């Protein structure tokens, strides 16, 4: 830009010049003084937007986002590519997550694209950066079977919930696991986890914790391992 006259300038980045889904996050300096025969270099840092889980769930369009949170269900625990992450406001499922070691309690940063699965918001085609390990997992919200079956109107979708002192009314085996029916709620013991099914019979009372996943118009509770299903 040799034709720029000598003088003082304020540096701004015009909206839209760095890409539709990228934000300017830092400019070294916004004031530049140009002297004769001088070259001035200014660094402009850009990044995808970083948002909360609630904002990610409400996002529209195809732009990528960063989301920070705590892992509440480890990557691969259900034998698929999903990862459940929560912050202080809500939870979200990440789908088509690139493989790696990501465990419950890890503090992570996700980069993915807002999408929809089973009518619920997800973050899709996700890369994961582990920021910290061995953090405390947010506690499960204790709810009734009716609230769990609707995920409290979707508010608890992808989140960690617990039902207490519920009685098994029926059991069934299908292609994805062993199903316990308690009230209006189905608890799915995923076939990719080696659950101890001893004593999980109709009439037995249990406490169960797991993540809530949509399934045909309602939600199922998916425990993450044997410790999430306790016989009373």
């Amino acid at each position: 830009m040799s034709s720029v006259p000598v003088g003082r300038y304020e540096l701004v980045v015009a909206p839209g010049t760095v890409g539709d889904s990228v934000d300017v996050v830092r400019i070294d300096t916004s004031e530049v003084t140009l002297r004769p025969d001088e070259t001035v270099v200014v660094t402009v840092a850009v990044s995808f937007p970083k948002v909360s889980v609630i904002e990610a769930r409400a996002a529209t369009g195809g732009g990528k986002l960063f989301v920070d949170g705590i892992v509440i269900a480890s990557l691969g625990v259900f034998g698929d590519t999903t990862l459940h992450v929560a912050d202080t406001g809500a939870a979200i499922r990440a789908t088509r997550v690139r493989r790696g070691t990501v465990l419950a309690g890890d503090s992570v940063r996700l980069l993915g694209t807002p999408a929809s699965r089973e009518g619920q918001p997800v973050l899709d085609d996700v890369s994961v950066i582990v920021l910290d390990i061995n953090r405390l997992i947010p506690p499960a919200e204790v709810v009734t079977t009716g609230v769990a079956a609707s995920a409290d109107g979707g508010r608890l979708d992808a989140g960690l919930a617990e039902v207490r002192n519920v009685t098994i009314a029926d059991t069934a085996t299908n292609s994805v696991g062993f199903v316990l029916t308690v009230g209006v709620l189905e608890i799915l013991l995923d076939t990719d986890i080696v659950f101890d099914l001893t004593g999980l019979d109709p009439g037995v009372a249990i406490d169960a914790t797991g993540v809530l996943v949509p399934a045909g118009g309602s939600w199922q509770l998916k425990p993450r391992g044997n410790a999430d299903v306790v016989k009373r």
Side-chain angles (χ1 to χ4, degrees):
M1 299 180 65
S2 58
S3 61
V4 177
V6 170
R8 297 186 64 186
Y9 295 89
E10 180 179 358
L11 179 66
V12 297
V13 179
T17 60
V18 293
D20 293 338
S21 62
V22 177
D23 290 339
V24 175
V25 295
R26 189 184 72 254
I27 301 177
D28 278 357
T29 179
S30 59
E31 293 186 358
V32 175
T33 299
L34 190 62
R35 297 180 176 85
D37 300 319
E38 183 179 32
T39 298
V40 177
V41 177
V42 178
T43 301
V44 179
V46 298
S47 174
F48 295 109
K50 182 166 138 345
V51 301
S52 69
V53 170
I54 288 177
E55 291 169 327
R57 290 182 64 91
T60 58
K64 289 188 175 183
L65 302 172
F66 282 114
V67 177
D68 287 359
I70 304 295
V71 177
I72 57 177
S74 304
L75 179 60
V77 68
F78 299 125
D80 56 19
T81 63
T82 64
L83 182 70
H84 289 245
V85 171
D87 63 10
T88 56
I92 194 167
R93 276 184 304 146
T95 56
R96 294 200 298 156
V97 180
R98 290 168 174 78
R99 288 293 181 179
T101 302
V102 186
L103 302 176
D106 287 352
S107 176
V108 296
R109 179 164 295 159
L110 309 180
L111 175 62
T113 304
S116 178
R117 296 288 186 274
E118 295 280 344
Q120 292 299 311
V122 300
L123 203 62
D124 189 45
D125 193 16
V126 171
S127 300
V128 183
I129 302 169
V130 177
L131 304 175
D132 196 4
I133 59 175
N134 298 324
R135 299 282 299 274
L136 290 176
I137 300 173
E141 185 165 336
V142 180
V143 296
T144 65
T145 57
V147 170
S150 71
D152 196 18
R155 179 182 69 87
L156 294 175
D157 171 63
L160 199 58
E162 180 182 4
V163 292
R164 293 179 178 174
N165 197 22
V166 294
T167 301
I168 300 172
D170 196 10
T171 64
T173 301
N174 60 29
S175 61
V176 292
F178 188 69
V179 179
L180 310 174
T181 300
V182 292
V184 295
L185 175 67
E186 289 186 345
I187 300 173
L188 175 61
L189 307 184
D190 194 283
T191 189
D192 287 292
I193 302 172
V194 182
F195 282 101
D196 180 3
L197 304 181
T198 305
L200 295 179
D201 303 314
V204 173
I206 61 172
D207 297 338
T209 302
V211 291
L212 290 169
V213 297
S218 62
W219 275 259
Q220 291 178 325
L221 186 75
K222 292 185 71 173
R224 300 155 298 173
N226 281 295
D228 279 348
V229 183
V230 179
K231 293 187 290 289
R232 281 184 168 260

